Amino acid sequence: MNGCEADHKEPLGMVETRTLSTVTSLAIATEMLITAVSNLKTEPPSFSSGIIRLQVPINQQIGAIDWLHAQNDVLPRSFFSPRCSDPSREDLLHDLARENVNGSYDRSPVSVAGIGSAVFFRDLNPFSHDHWRSIRRFLCSRSPLIRAYGGLRFDPRGKISVEWEQFGSFYFTVPQVEFVEFGGNSMLAATVAWDEDISWTLENAIEALQETMLQVSSVIMRLRRESLGVSVVSKNHVPSEGAYHPAVTSALETIKAKNSPLSKVLTNLPFVIHLWVLMKLIVLVFGNQVVLARSTRIITDTDIDPIAWIARLQREGQDAYQFCLQPPGAPAFIGNTPERLFYRKHLGVCSEALAATRPRGDSRASDMEIERDLLTSPKDDLEFSIVRENIREKLKAICDRVIVRPQKTVRKLARVQHLYSQLAGQLRREDDEFDILTALHPTPAVCGCPVDEARLLIKQIESFDRGMYAGPVGYFGGGESEFSVGIRSALVEKGLGALIYAGTGIVSGSDSSSEWNELELKISQFTKSLEHEPALQQIN
């Protein structure tokens, strides 16, 4: 059922979560759900529309990615894992709203995997407020784990290429069968959604769910996070290295042309001007930036299993989001992104600025030296300041108060390190969520600044479809929502190969050779993880 076809102004008859008894194994949970779905068919509710989630807690922690890997790969799949051990989003919101009554936070899932679609949302038209209301219609704060997982295209008005057709302009799904991993235990759930106004009855929904339940496997093999046994036969970059250097030169010429009329302002500034005013003017005067991306098609000697690939990336991605979106009959869009777009909990919202890249050092001393170089580089400071100030201004437009902490620091990942800052605000209304998404996407870190001019320049320079690369990827929920930025990502196609995406910010002072090397560094976590087959270990 495509929820976009329903009347988004008409509320659902019921939104309900039913929690069954806690069990000790996945096999028992599966059987219990099958029985509960049958009982629902025998004693159906009388509403003409609704969504019901049946969930069984399991007194055992099982990896959601391991469960997903064991399921039928013909069914639509989804996976989302927030950054592990990431108290920063909660801490910042606590600091922002310390005086508010709403200071406690529910336990969040470690990761969530789903198969099938109880209801999905997809359209070729750009994501609109009406589309958002269509999704929100199926969500409720009393059922916090009913969530719509998905993402949006980077450029909703760009022409959709063949490999991205099944994703539409956006794609979200509430899975039919879902596995939720918590710290210490797990949960198996089944969801039915129906709306007679669009000819999808409860009976239709239950029969579709029963068909999916019959395909659910309870025999789970734990993926040891070792490299995959796949060899890369060839790589083809778009643009090629030969074409990339002129593209950077062209972008720099455009940036220089836009800066020249404004640069006189800075030279006439009084010497006694306050530092914070000076920094704001630097961003305004020299703050032109464009992010140029590259698509790398790899051909491999055997098929790539996208779920095993995510499991491999998790090994070095404890400080990153992992995701997988795979609509029916489509390639799998997977990612291991370090960047949060936003996290909303009730009226609190937080985001972050992440820009400028350096490799990690091969020793503590060299790593610290690279960090110092990153912190003191004028070019990287400019790139980062553009991103941070842009996000601050966007949050101020939808929030009563915005805090930034720290102004600038270094965030270290497994292979790279970036300049980093956190931002948080207090929303005026919870319903401002659509405004958060449209205000923050695209960030200067994936598009450039000014955004409209940068997006136009990208359209002129780039000769491939970014699709959902650099777009928002995450979930909408009744009480909270979270979106990452879909970078460090790949589209895993049926057959031998994948498309890997990466981008780099071009500002005044950028060097095309250095930027090309940065692209190579960013895709290395994908290409270097295709070497040894991950061993499987059965979960009892």
Side-chain angles (χ1 to χ4, degrees):
M1 176 175 70
N2 188 346
C4 292
E5 297 173 358
D7 182 0
H8 62 268
K9 297 177 182 176
E10 188 68 29
L12 287 182
M14 68 182 301
V15 179
E16 185 178 314
T17 294
R18 302 178 184 178
T19 303
L20 309 181
S21 302
T22 300
V23 299
T24 56
S25 73
L26 178 58
I28 299 173
T30 305
E31 290 302 318
M32 187 177 287
L33 274 186
I34 290 172
T35 301
V37 173
S38 296
N39 293 341
L40 187 62
K41 191 172 185 179
T42 306
E43 301 176 12
S46 57
F47 298 99
S48 62
S49 65
I51 184 166
I52 300 175
R53 175 185 171 93
L54 306 167
Q55 57 187 32
V56 182
I58 305 170
N59 195 17
Q60 180 186 10
Q61 183 172 0
I62 300 170
I65 195 73
D66 300 314
W67 178 87
L68 185 58
H69 189 259
Q71 307 310 315
N72 189 332
D73 62 3
V74 175
L75 294 167
R77 297 187 286 188
S78 57
F79 178 81
F80 186 76
S81 178
R83 292 197 303 230
C84 296
S85 305
D86 184 17
S88 61
R89 67 181 188 180
E90 307 287 9
D91 292 345
L92 201 60
L93 294 184
H94 271 302
D95 287 352
L96 182 75
R98 190 170 287 162
E99 68 280 6
N100 290 355
V101 245
N102 193 0
S104 62
Y105 288 83
D106 299 326
R107 190 175 57 134
S108 297
V110 172
S111 54
V112 180
I115 56 173
S117 288
V119 54
F120 69 91
F121 307 87
R122 180 173 56 196
D123 200 344
L124 293 176
N125 295 314
F127 190 67
S128 67
H129 192 266
D130 285 348
H131 291 131
W132 174 77
R133 290 182 65 187
S134 295
I135 296 174
R136 295 295 298 179
R137 182 170 175 253
F138 288 83
L139 309 177
C140 175
S141 58
R142 296 186 305 276
S143 294
L145 290 180
I146 297 179
R147 296 171 170 179
Y149 296 90
L152 284 67
R153 285 175 58 81
F154 168 77
D155 184 357
R157 292 178 172 80
K159 184 180 178 181
I160 302 177
S161 59
V162 175
E163 66 268 20
W164 288 103
E165 279 181 351
Q166 299 303 315
F167 291 85
S169 181
F170 60 90
Y171 173 77
F172 287 90
T173 178
V174 178
Q176 278 181 313
V177 182
E178 190 176 289
F179 191 89
V180 186
E181 177 187 357
F182 296 102
N185 52 28
S186 311
M187 178 183 287
L188 186 67
T191 302
V192 290
W194 72 98
D195 190 337
E196 293 178 3
D197 286 345
I198 54 174
S199 302
W200 186 252
T201 66
L202 177 58
E203 185 178 359
N204 296 143
I206 291 175
E207 288 177 356
L209 175 57
Q210 286 177 321
E211 186 177 334
T212 300
M213 287 296 300
L214 290 174
Q215 301 178 64
V216 173
S217 173
S218 297
V219 180
I220 309 301
M221 308 296 286
R222 182 179 290 115
L223 283 159
R224 296 177 186 163
R225 275 60 171 173
E226 298 172 1
S227 299
L228 280 69
V230 177
S231 296
V232 177
V233 176
S234 66
K235 281 194 289 188
N236 181 48
H237 305 301
V238 178
S240 64
E241 186 172 5
Y244 180 77
H245 296 302
V248 172
T249 300
S250 175
L252 287 170
E253 288 173 352
T254 303
I255 289 169
K256 183 178 179 181
K258 292 184 182 301
N259 281 337
S260 55
L262 295 172
S263 58
K264 295 176 183 177
V265 177
L266 190 61
T267 58
N268 295 327
L269 285 175
F271 178 75
V272 293
I273 194 166
H274 293 298
L275 181 60
W276 71 271
V277 176
L278 179 60
M279 283 305 302
K280 277 208 164 190
L281 282 168
I282 288 174
V283 173
L284 290 171
V285 173
F286 293 104
N288 291 291
Q289 175 192 28
V290 64
V291 177
L292 296 183
R294 187 185 75 183
S295 168
T296 300
R297 179 177 292 280
I298 61 169
I299 303 299
T300 54
D301 61 344
T302 59
D303 287 0
I304 301 173
D305 181 338
I307 307 305
W309 207 359
I310 295 174
R312 170 65 184 104
L313 294 169
Q314 278 187 325
R315 188 178 185 183
E316 63 173 56
Q318 298 300 307
D319 43 13
Y321 295 88
Q322 286 88 36
F323 63 80
C324 173
L325 288 176
Q326 190 169 25
F333 180 49
I334 69 170
N336 186 54
T337 173
E339 188 168 354
R340 173 190 299 138
L341 184 64
F342 75 87
Y343 169 71
R344 176 191 68 82
K345 182 82 170 184
H346 305 303
L347 287 176
V349 60
C350 61
S351 183
E352 61 190 24
L354 191 75
T357 305
R358 289 287 192 282
R360 296 298 304 271
D362 53 11
S363 67
R364 180 175 175 79
S366 66
D367 198 58
M368 293 299 295
E369 181 62 34
I370 294 169
E371 177 184 332
R372 282 192 292 271
D373 177 64
L374 180 58
L375 282 168
T376 56
S377 163
K379 178 261 181 189
D380 290 303
D381 183 68
L382 172 59
E383 182 181 340
F384 175 71
S385 298
I386 292 170
V387 174
R388 185 192 60 220
E389 295 308 310
N390 182 275
I391 295 173
R392 188 208 301 260
E393 292 304 313
K394 287 178 175 179
L395 283 177
K396 284 171 64 177
I398 54 178
C399 295
D400 285 331
R401 186 160 66 96
V402 176
I403 60 175
V404 181
R405 190 186 69 221
Q407 287 294 313
K408 183 173 75 171
T409 189
V410 171
R411 181 159 171 231
K412 295 180 183 289
L413 305 177
R415 296 179 185 273
V416 295
Q417 45 192 320
H418 305 282
L419 294 177
Y420 174 73
S421 180
Q422 296 182 89
L423 303 94
Q426 192 77 6
L427 292 172
R428 300 180 182 97
R429 305 175 306 146
E430 279 190 43
D431 285 347
D432 289 341
E433 188 172 62
F434 175 77
D435 295 329
I436 304 171
L437 189 61
T438 53
L440 293 179
H441 172 71
T443 69
V446 295
C447 180
C449 188
V451 167
D452 291 338
E453 293 182 19
R455 187 180 268 162
L456 182 61
L457 188 57
I458 287 169
K459 190 172 289 188
Q460 292 171 348
I461 292 177
E462 291 183 0
S463 57
F464 66 93
D465 178 15
R466 288 191 180 191
M468 286 188 174
Y469 162 71
V473 180
Y475 68 87
F476 289 114
E480 61 182 333
S481 300
E482 184 162 20
F483 281 83
S484 62
V485 181
I487 57 174
R488 315 291 158 83
S489 52
L491 192 67
V492 186
E493 300 172 298
K494 305 289 184 181
L496 309 178
L499 290 163
I500 306 175
Y501 302 91
T504 181
I506 309 301
V507 297
S508 180
S510 291
D511 172 73
S512 61
S513 296
S514 298
E515 303 299 337
W516 182 266
N517 291 337
E518 182 176 321
L519 293 173
E520 291 290 284
L521 179 64
K522 285 177 175 176
I523 73 165
S524 65
Q525 63 173 302
F526 279 88
T527 56
K528 290 182 179 179
S529 60
L530 299 172
E531 293 171 5
H532 304 293
E533 189 67 36
L536 300 176
Q537 178 182 348
Q538 184 165 339
I539 299 174
N540 297 319

